[in-house]
Amino acid sequence: MAVRGSFLAGAPFTGPVILIGELALSVNASGDGVINGHLAGSENGTILTFAEEPVTGSYSVDANCKGTLTITPKGESVLNFSFVIVDCGKELLAVETDADTVVNGTLVKRN
């Protein structure tokens, strides 16, 4: 996962933001989309306090290959995204949908 953009006035942080990490998307026994992994990040050149902390989350995908996902870095606020699956399922193009954010990113499937 790699996302970049800006948090605007009113967001928990302000300024340019970059997040990178490795997320595992799976389906649990109930059929729910589950996310686990780690993120590291920088906001306006400062390493974010949740760098390399575990994240959890959930996702759902519609039949038209569009969906939503949420990730929660340990001890931080939930980050909400809308996405579309592209490249025969190899990538997700995502945009954060939280107020006061202009953040987009790509999640790439590892082989």
Side-chain angles (χ1 to χ4, degrees):
M1 170 184 179
V3 298
R4 65 177 41 211
S6 294
F7 288 162
L8 309 175
F13 309 101
T14 57
V17 64
I18 297 173
L19 299 174
I20 59 171
E22 187 168 315
L23 301 176
L25 282 67
S26 59
V27 177
N28 67 16
S30 301
D32 300 320
V34 178
I35 299 172
N36 291 293
H38 289 77
L39 290 177
S42 164
E43 186 272 322
N44 205 19
T46 301
I47 301 300
L48 298 175
T49 58
F50 61 79
E52 289 302 317
E53 291 289 336
V55 298
T56 58
S58 62
Y59 71 96
S60 64
V61 181
D62 296 331
N64 62 3
C65 295
K66 295 178 183 177
T68 59
L69 67 86
T70 63
I71 54 175
T72 307
K74 184 178 178 183
E76 299 293 332
S77 299
V78 173
L79 304 171
N80 297 285
F81 293 85
S82 287
F83 66 84
V84 62
I85 300 171
V86 298
D87 195 16
C88 298
K90 295 178 185 172
E91 292 184 357
L92 300 178
L93 302 178
V95 62
E96 188 172 356
T97 57
D98 295 311
D100 303 315
T101 63
V102 184
V103 177
N104 66 348
T106 304
L107 289 81
V108 178
K109 183 178 180 180
R110 286 180 71 187
N111 294 331

